[in-house]
Amino acid sequence: MTAGLWIACGIFVLLPIGAILFLAGGGRHFSVLLQGDVLEAALNSFVSATSSALLAVAVGTVFALLLDRTDLPGRRGLRLLALSPLLMPPFVGAIAWLGIAGPSSPVNVWWRETFGAPLWVIYGADGVIALLTIHSYPIVMLIVSAALRRIPSDLEHAARIGGAGPVRTAATITVPLLRPALLSSFILVAVGNLADFGIPSIIGLPERYVTLATLVYRYLQSGTVDEPLAIVATIGVVVLLVALVALAANALIGGRGRELDTSNAVVERLPLGRARAPLGVAMWGLVLAITVLPLLALGTQTLLRAPGVPLTWENLTLDHLAAAVTSSTALTGAANSVMLATLAAVICGVLGLGIGVVTSRARGRAARGLAATATLPQAVPGIVIAVAWLVLAPALGLFNTPWLILAAYVTSFTALVVQAVVAPLEATPASAEESARISGAGRLRALVDISSRMALPAAVSGAVIVAVTAVRELTLSVLLLSPGSQTLGVAIFSFQQAGAFSTASAWSLIVAILGIAFIGLATRHRN
């Protein structure tokens, strides 16, 4: 069993990473890294990734502190709304925010007519940073919330008894204890935003703000450079090394975290006093603006006859929505996305279940190495994985087939299932498996009959997450696009790039609503 899992990991993880390292290993194209457009794209990627990560850490930490440590009114509803940007694909969020701060948005049109210039046009570096922040602060919020649960609130109450106010208590007690979580959040968000494609392509390119992800896409699509695969592989290796160094630093930070005795700690919320009502109003206003306003903007863009016309009953129509849901391009992309997402969920579910069971129950270097190999793609940006499979495609006969996208999905998303399976098994004693072994069952049968059955619900949950993630994915699909294998994400992106803004908005609205509804139903069912 372990040998078979190693073979699968070798095919889906080690082979693509080895291919990209081999293609770039000759060093013939390292000089391209010093070219002006590559240096500019690298600088833009660094600025947008680090700036958005810093802002996301600030926003996510404030939200977590207010919602988990204070008596802020409406905390439960605020938490659900604040996490909702995770349910919307970043490129869909970019299209939504064009309806709020785009050149032809109602706000900018009115402001231009009144004051002679738009209030704020979202195109450019500031817009890219703002949207990357909005779509990544929920990750920080989750990490910080988990860390807060490990900090006894009696430390904060002791500071309050000593005369410290809420702000000083947070600054001198809570935040220092959160430092490892904050650094970890910053690294994870920065690595993720470094390779994001959707937001920089939709928001950055109109102002010629090019990042490494959009530059790789241009090199592969335009044919403006010789040996584009080798050049892109060289860029991908550099991005991979940066990501691995960052993840290694994250692991080192996590290993040095403080261990606190929380066994007898009772979490008591700090009273906000007179600031409770104003802070509650401010939080509700901010969270609603971040989460609900984009959905309303998508609805407005979908229903208006043309971008920029006044929002009146006479200018509303369902024609764009009808054209979107009957578009053969989008329907084909949706069908391909559902097929690929379903297959990826099944493959990742089976593979992740096997790897999770073996790595959590077996001991030794082989098991530890298998776990590290299976989760390695989490440190690999999507553009690197896409380029790796592009390098392998001709040799494996996958070029210009949808199976190339499927292979990249399996590489990218198997770790989600592995983590979902390992977590409950590591918290469960192995006494059941030991009882089966005493009763005469072999080691393999004990793993299959006992551990696998115990972990099956977690594997199914992980597979569902894979399906939801893959069905709306863009970065991998847009780089691996081939005739007949267009996905829904690529179809929406193509509509936006071709100027069919209403059609792109209509499908973006459908994707956003279905994603939120699906997660809501899944959460309700689990509860």
Side-chain angles (χ1 to χ4, degrees):
M1 183 176 180
T2 304
L5 294 173
W6 264 112
I7 292 173
C9 281
I11 294 173
F12 288 109
V13 178
L14 299 179
L15 184 62
I17 293 178
I20 195 171
L21 291 174
F22 175 78
L23 187 60
R28 293 181 297 111
H29 298 283
F30 280 123
S31 59
V32 76
L33 301 176
L34 301 178
Q35 293 180 359
D37 55 347
V38 178
L39 290 176
E40 179 185 2
L43 178 61
N44 290 340
S45 295
F46 175 79
V47 170
S48 60
T50 55
S51 300
S52 60
L54 288 172
L55 291 173
V57 168
V59 174
T61 302
V62 171
F63 280 14
L65 288 172
L66 289 174
L67 296 175
D68 293 337
R69 276 297 202 256
T70 70
D71 61 346
L72 193 75
R75 293 184 302 275
R76 183 176 180 180
L78 277 172
R79 183 177 288 104
L80 292 175
L81 283 174
L83 292 175
S84 63
L86 282 177
L87 309 179
M88 184 182 294
F91 74 94
V92 169
I95 295 173
W97 277 92
L98 285 178
I100 301 172
S104 58
S105 66
V107 173
N108 277 328
V109 169
W110 176 82
W111 201 274
R112 187 184 298 109
E113 293 174 351
T114 305
F115 300 101
L119 175 62
W120 177 55
V121 177
I122 199 171
Y123 288 135
D126 50 349
V128 171
I129 293 171
L131 291 193
L132 287 175
T133 301
I134 289 173
H135 283 273
S136 54
Y137 83 81
I139 298 174
V140 179
M141 185 176 160
L142 289 173
I143 295 174
V144 173
S145 294
L148 279 173
R149 288 192 289 271
R150 300 174 57 193
I151 299 176
S153 58
D154 52 4
L155 298 176
E156 297 158 336
H157 281 280
R160 294 297 302 274
I161 293 172
V167 175
R168 186 177 179 183
T169 299
T172 58
I173 302 297
T174 312
V175 172
L177 292 174
L178 288 175
R179 189 175 293 117
L182 299 181
L183 291 175
S184 177
S185 301
F186 171 79
I187 292 172
L188 291 176
V189 169
V191 170
N193 290 348
L194 179 67
D196 186 82
F197 173 79
I199 290 175
S201 62
I202 294 174
I203 303 299
L205 287 183
E207 287 293 321
R208 297 183 181 180
Y209 186 78
V210 181
T211 63
L212 287 175
T214 54
L215 181 68
V216 165
Y217 177 75
R218 189 180 77 191
Y219 280 171
L220 293 176
Q221 297 294 321
S222 65
T224 55
V225 295
D226 297 329
E227 299 184 82
L229 275 181
I231 292 176
V232 167
T234 304
I235 297 174
V237 167
V238 174
V239 176
L240 174 61
L241 291 176
V242 171
L244 289 177
V245 170
L247 269 295
N250 179 49
L252 183 62
I253 292 169
R256 293 181 176 180
R258 295 179 175 88
E259 293 294 334
L260 298 174
D261 182 12
T262 61
S263 57
N264 297 318
V266 177
V267 176
E268 296 183 13
R269 301 187 183 278
L270 297 175
L272 293 173
R274 294 180 179 179
R276 185 172 185 266
L279 275 176
V281 172
M283 275 289 291
W284 273 102
L286 178 60
V287 171
L288 287 175
I290 291 175
T291 59
V292 176
L293 199 57
L295 292 176
L296 295 177
L298 282 177
T300 301
Q301 293 177 85
T302 301
L303 297 177
L304 282 177
R305 295 185 181 277
V309 300
L311 183 59
T312 61
W313 286 108
E314 292 77 13
N315 289 329
L316 299 181
T317 179
L318 294 175
D319 293 345
H320 300 307
L321 184 61
V325 298
T326 57
S327 168
S328 59
T329 300
L331 292 177
T332 301
N336 287 337
S337 290
V338 171
M339 178 196 68
L340 292 172
T342 302
L343 291 174
V346 173
I347 297 172
C348 292
V350 173
L351 188 57
L353 176 61
I355 295 173
V357 168
V358 169
T359 56
S360 60
R361 288 299 188 240
R363 296 293 180 265
R365 295 181 179 179
R368 292 195 298 269
L370 183 62
T373 303
T375 55
L376 177 61
Q378 287 193 314
V380 182
I383 57 172
V384 177
I385 293 175
V387 171
W389 279 104
L390 276 176
V391 172
L392 289 171
L396 299 178
L398 298 176
F399 194 71
N400 280 341
T401 69
W403 315 125
L404 185 60
I405 298 177
L406 177 61
Y409 283 175
V410 175
T411 300
S412 297
F413 303 139
T414 298
L416 296 176
V417 183
V418 173
Q419 290 182 332
V421 170
V422 168
L425 282 181
E426 287 186 341
T428 304
S431 56
E433 292 88 337
E434 293 172 358
S435 299
R437 294 290 301 276
I438 293 173
S439 301
R443 182 178 180 182
L444 178 59
R445 184 172 180 181
L447 288 177
V448 173
D449 288 350
I450 306 298
S451 299
S452 296
R453 290 186 180 182
M454 292 171 59
L456 186 59
V460 172
S461 298
V464 170
I465 295 174
V466 169
V468 173
T469 305
V471 79
R472 57 189 192 171
E473 193 277 332
L474 177 64
T475 302
L476 294 172
S477 304
V478 77
L479 293 176
L480 301 177
L481 182 66
S482 61
S485 64
Q486 179 168 258
T487 63
L488 181 58
V490 175
I492 297 173
F493 177 74
S494 299
F495 287 138
Q496 181 70 22
Q497 296 299 103
F501 303 118
S502 298
T503 304
S505 298
W507 272 106
S508 297
L509 181 63
I510 293 171
V511 169
I513 291 176
L514 288 179
I516 294 173
F518 184 86
I519 297 297
L521 289 174
T523 304
R524 181 180 179 184
H525 176 72
R526 185 182 66 180
N527 292 337

